[in-house]
Amino acid sequence: MKTKLWLSIGVLALTSTNLWASAYSDSIKRLQMSTDVLHSIVQTPDKGIPEEVLSSAKCIVVIPHLIKGGFVVGGEHGRGIASCRTPDGWSAPAFVSIGGGSWGLQIGIEGIDLVMVVMNDHGLQHLLSSKFQLGGDASASAGPVGRHASAGTDWKLNSEILTYSRSRGIFAGITLDGAVVEQDEDSTIAIYGKDHSFRNILSGQVPAPSSTLAFVRSINRTVHISQVAKGRAGNR
């Protein structure tokens, strides 16, 4: 009886270890993929997210390889990384998941990179809540594309969150009404060792683990380059 008990405990311990290792490996891969998406924003300025949008951002959410598709009934599902601006720079990364349904004549499955840019305090508060719905709780719209955003648009005044997709290296605005964004607890625990809340991570109260520093440096660099470019354009 004792032998069976110890065997059961051993199996459970091994299973838990394997699950943690899988979650950690997946989270590290997602950090690298999200870093690559941020690099692409800088490398393709004329086909990317405008400097004015990035320099004004409160938070940036990157969902690498979002799966979108289906037949008649479409849907989205993906996992990614969020970071918010703090008085000391950009916060440690918070792990997110996004999912939801959409109706439409869709055939096939497509993997795209999704970037969501939180533009004001209302959008920030929705993100800090750890779960919200795009187009329901938070207003979201397809963002302008190109080196500069047109002064004639209302993107800055009326949009809490601007959404972008990237396919084949080119960014485009995308509508994701109905999609639910929430905290990815498994990845949070795998990277941080405990389930920190979105609010604590994104407000800068939790230090960034060493495994996430490449992503943190990349988002700081991306926004800094946009701010410098915007300043140069304003002085012309």
Side-chain angles (χ1 to χ4, degrees), residues 155-179:
W155 59 270
K156 191 170 184 180
L157 294 176
N158 299 332
S159 299
E160 295 180 11
I161 299 173
L162 297 176
T163 53
Y164 295 87
S165 66
R166 186 184 76 128
S167 179
R168 300 179 181 89
I170 299 175
F171 284 88
I174 186 174
T175 300
L176 285 172
D177 285 347

Side-chain angles (χ1 to χ4, degrees), residues 28-160:
I28 293 298
K29 181 179 179 180
R30 204 179 325 155
L31 281 162
Q32 180 57 58
M33 292 172 66
S34 298
T35 301
D36 292 343
V37 174
L38 290 172
H39 286 164
S40 72
I41 294 174
V42 176
Q43 293 167 356
T44 56
D46 293 324
K47 300 176 181 179
I49 302 174
E51 295 157 0
E52 293 89 345
V53 171
L54 289 172
S55 62
S56 302
K58 296 284 187 179
C59 306
I60 296 176
V61 184
V62 182
I63 312 288
H65 201 64
L66 173 77
I67 299 298
K68 179 180 176 66
F71 180 77
V72 182
V73 180
E76 302 87 33
H77 178 73
R79 293 181 176 184
I81 316 291
S83 181
C84 292
R85 197 187 297 268
T86 75
D88 300 316
W90 286 77
S91 72
F95 291 84
V96 307
S97 68
I98 181 172
S102 60
W103 290 87
L105 297 177
Q106 304 178 47
I107 299 176
I109 296 176
E110 179 186 9
I112 62 172
D113 297 321
L114 171 68
V115 178
M116 296 184 288
V117 186
V118 178
M119 299 305 302
N120 56 37
D121 288 333
H122 291 294
L124 171 62
Q125 291 306 314
H126 286 304
L127 185 59
L128 293 180
S129 71
S130 295
K131 184 176 182 178
F132 67 95
Q133 184 181 51
L134 293 170
D137 300 318
S139 64
S141 60
V145 178
R147 187 181 293 271
H148 299 291
S150 172
T153 63
D154 59 358
W155 59 270
K156 191 170 184 180
L157 294 176
N158 299 332
S159 299
E160 295 180 11

Side-chain angles (χ1 to χ4, degrees), residues 193-220:
K194 61 181 295 187
D195 188 15
H196 289 292
S197 70
F198 254 23
R199 184 171 295 275
N200 286 345
I201 295 173
L202 295 176
S203 62
Q205 298 180 41
V206 179
S210 59
S211 59
T212 70
L213 292 180
F215 175 84
V216 175
R217 285 193 294 267
S218 182
I219 200 167
N220 273 283

